[in-house]
Amino acid sequence: MSGPGQIILLPDAEAIYEAAAARVLLLATERVAATGRFLLALAGGRTPGGLYQRLAEPPFLEQMPWQQLRVIWGDERYVPPDDPQSNYRLSREALLAQVPIPTAHIYPIPTDAVDPHQAAAAYDQRLQSLLAEHQGQIDLLLLGMGTDGHTASLFPAHPALDAPAAQLVAAVDAAPKPPAWRISLTIAALNRAAHVLLLVSGADKAATLQAVLHGPYQPRRLPVQAVRPPQGSITWLVDQAAGSLIVPSALPLSG
Ligand code: 6PG
């Protein structure tokens, strides 16, 4: 696809979680009906925590095809899985421990190798095989956006932005957002998504979001701009605080 996608302005973060949960259910139900499985990539950071909690509540708890889900991550901080900074820990506590997803269908990014590059290579292999089982696509990719325009762990002007097209996962050092070491899907991997849901909340992101959506295309300065899946769709779910400087492309969801 070209362009930034559909931009939906919502009153607040709670409304983002409700709208996102409804979209996750819709997409998962449709995909499982068509193929019997659904490959979901979870986002890190704080914003998606409310979505994960919402998905673990009615009606999503009862209606989601949990048994048919396969769960991966778009990025991970290079810390132990029980570390408070771990994206895996956040999503396990808020969602995965609350719903009946088979443990064998959950694929955390490994963070126990001495060398993060080995961990990245191992996850690259894992992702390659999962993509092969899902028609070459991540069925739904959840992402956030940092105040510097990063997404996943792809930061402005970072060498990981230059990963070759065949590389799906990269080790990221010297990340400006702690911790310094991370593992991230590359732009090429993010653009293997069939659907992208970008969740952006908070006034501190308003200026960046305006630059990303209405400014020039400069993905080395604003890496989230590079998320443009050629065979996929992007939906931005933005609250009023983060969207105060942008022009939405769709009326707020009713209800
Ligand atoms: C991470 C995330 C990162 C996050 C943005 C937004 O591991 O930090 O993957 O890309 O999505 O930094 O973070 P917040 O949602 O906490 O603002």
Coordinates of all heavy atoms in Angstrom, one line a residue, residues 43-48 75 77 87 143-146 150-153 177 182 205, ligand 1:
A43 N 2.9 -5.8 20.2 CA 3.8 -4.6 20.3 C 4.3 -4.5 21.7 O 3.7 -5.1 22.7 CB 3.0 -3.3 20.0
G44 N 5.4 -3.8 21.9 CA 6.0 -3.6 23.2 C 5.6 -2.2 23.7 O 4.7 -1.5 23.2
G45 N 6.3 -1.7 24.8 CA 6.0 -0.4 25.3 C 4.7 -0.5 26.2 O 4.1 -1.5 26.5
R46 N 4.3 0.7 26.7 CA 3.2 0.8 27.6 C 1.8 0.8 26.9 O 0.9 0.2 27.4 CB 3.3 2.1 28.4 CG 4.4 2.2 29.5 CD 4.3 3.4 30.3 NE 3.9 4.6 29.5 CZ 4.7 5.4 28.7 NH1 6.0 5.1 28.7 NH2 4.2 6.4 28.1
T47 N 1.7 1.5 25.8 CA 0.4 1.7 25.2 C -0.4 0.5 25.0 O -1.6 0.4 25.4 CB 0.5 2.5 23.9 OG1 1.2 3.7 24.1 CG2 -0.8 2.8 23.3
P48 N 0.1 -0.6 24.5 CA -0.7 -1.8 24.2 C -1.2 -2.5 25.4 O -2.0 -3.4 25.3 CB 0.2 -2.7 23.3 CG 1.5 -2.3 23.6 CD 1.5 -0.8 24.0
D75 N 9.2 -6.7 18.7 CA 10.5 -6.4 19.2 C 10.6 -6.8 20.7 O 9.5 -7.1 21.3 CB 10.9 -4.9 19.1 CG 10.1 -4.0 20.1 OD1 9.0 -4.3 20.3 OD2 10.7 -3.1 20.5
R77 N 13.1 -6.1 24.4 CA 14.2 -5.6 25.1 C 15.1 -6.8 25.5 O 14.6 -7.8 25.9 CB 13.8 -4.8 26.4 CG 13.1 -3.5 26.1 CD 11.6 -3.8 25.9 NE 10.8 -2.5 25.7 CZ 10.4 -1.7 26.6 NH1 10.6 -2.0 27.9 NH2 9.7 -0.6 26.4
N87 N 9.0 -6.9 27.2 CA 7.7 -6.8 26.5 C 7.0 -8.1 26.7 O 5.8 -8.2 26.8 CB 8.0 -6.5 25.0 CG 8.4 -5.1 24.8 OD1 8.1 -4.2 25.6 ND2 9.1 -4.9 23.7
L143 N 1.6 -2.3 16.6 CA 2.8 -1.4 16.7 C 2.5 -0.2 17.5 O 1.3 0.3 17.6 CB 3.4 -1.0 15.4 CG 4.1 -2.0 14.5 CD1 4.5 -1.4 13.2 CD2 5.4 -2.5 15.2
G144 N 3.5 0.4 18.2 CA 3.4 1.7 18.8 C 4.3 2.6 18.1 O 5.0 2.2 17.1
M145 N 4.4 3.8 18.6 CA 5.3 4.8 18.0 C 5.9 5.6 19.1 O 5.2 6.1 20.0 CB 4.5 5.8 17.0 CG 5.4 6.8 16.3 SD 4.5 8.2 15.6 CE 4.2 9.2 17.0
G146 N 7.2 5.8 19.1 CA 7.9 6.6 20.1 C 7.8 8.1 19.7 O 7.5 8.5 18.6
H150 N 10.2 6.4 16.3 CA 10.6 5.0 16.1 C 9.4 4.1 16.3 O 8.4 4.5 16.8 CB 11.7 4.6 17.2 CG 11.2 4.3 18.5 ND1 11.2 5.2 19.6 CD2 10.6 3.2 19.1 CE1 10.7 4.7 20.7 NE2 10.4 3.4 20.4
T151 N 9.6 2.8 15.7 CA 8.6 1.8 15.9 C 9.3 0.5 16.1 O 10.4 0.3 15.6 CB 7.6 1.8 14.8 OG1 6.4 1.0 15.2 CG2 8.2 1.2 13.5
A152 N 8.6 -0.4 16.8 CA 9.3 -1.6 17.3 C 10.6 -1.1 17.9 O 10.6 -0.2 18.8 CB 9.6 -2.6 16.1
S153 N 11.8 -1.7 17.6 CA 13.0 -1.1 18.1 C 13.9 -0.6 17.0 O 15.1 -0.8 16.9 CB 13.8 -2.2 18.9 OG 13.2 -2.4 20.2
K177 N 16.3 4.5 23.6 CA 15.3 4.2 24.6 C 15.7 3.0 25.4 O 15.8 1.9 24.8 CB 13.9 4.0 24.0 CG 12.8 3.6 25.0 CD 11.5 3.4 24.3 CE 10.4 3.0 25.4 NZ 9.1 2.7 24.7
R182 N 18.5 -4.5 22.1 CA 17.1 -5.0 21.8 C 17.2 -5.9 20.6 O 18.2 -5.9 19.9 CB 16.2 -3.8 21.5 CG 15.9 -2.9 22.7 CD 15.5 -1.5 22.2 NE 14.9 -0.7 23.3 CZ 13.6 -0.5 23.5 NH1 12.8 -1.1 22.6 NH2 13.1 0.2 24.5
K205 N 3.1 12.9 21.9 CA 3.4 12.3 20.5 C 2.7 13.1 19.4 O 2.8 12.8 18.2 CB 2.9 10.9 20.5 CG 3.6 10.0 21.5 CD 3.3 8.5 21.3 CE 4.1 7.8 22.4 NZ 3.8 6.4 22.4
Ligands
6PG1 C1 9.4 -0.9 23.0 C2 8.3 -0.7 21.9 C3 8.4 0.7 21.3 C4 7.1 1.3 21.7 C5 7.2 2.8 21.5 C6 6.0 3.5 22.2 O1 9.8 -2.0 23.2 O2 9.7 0.1 23.6 O3 8.3 -1.7 21.0 O4 8.5 0.7 19.9 O5 6.0 0.8 21.0 O6 8.4 3.3 22.2 O7 6.1 3.2 23.6 P1 4.9 3.6 24.6 O8 3.7 2.8 24.1 O9 5.4 3.1 25.9 O10 4.7 5.1 24.4

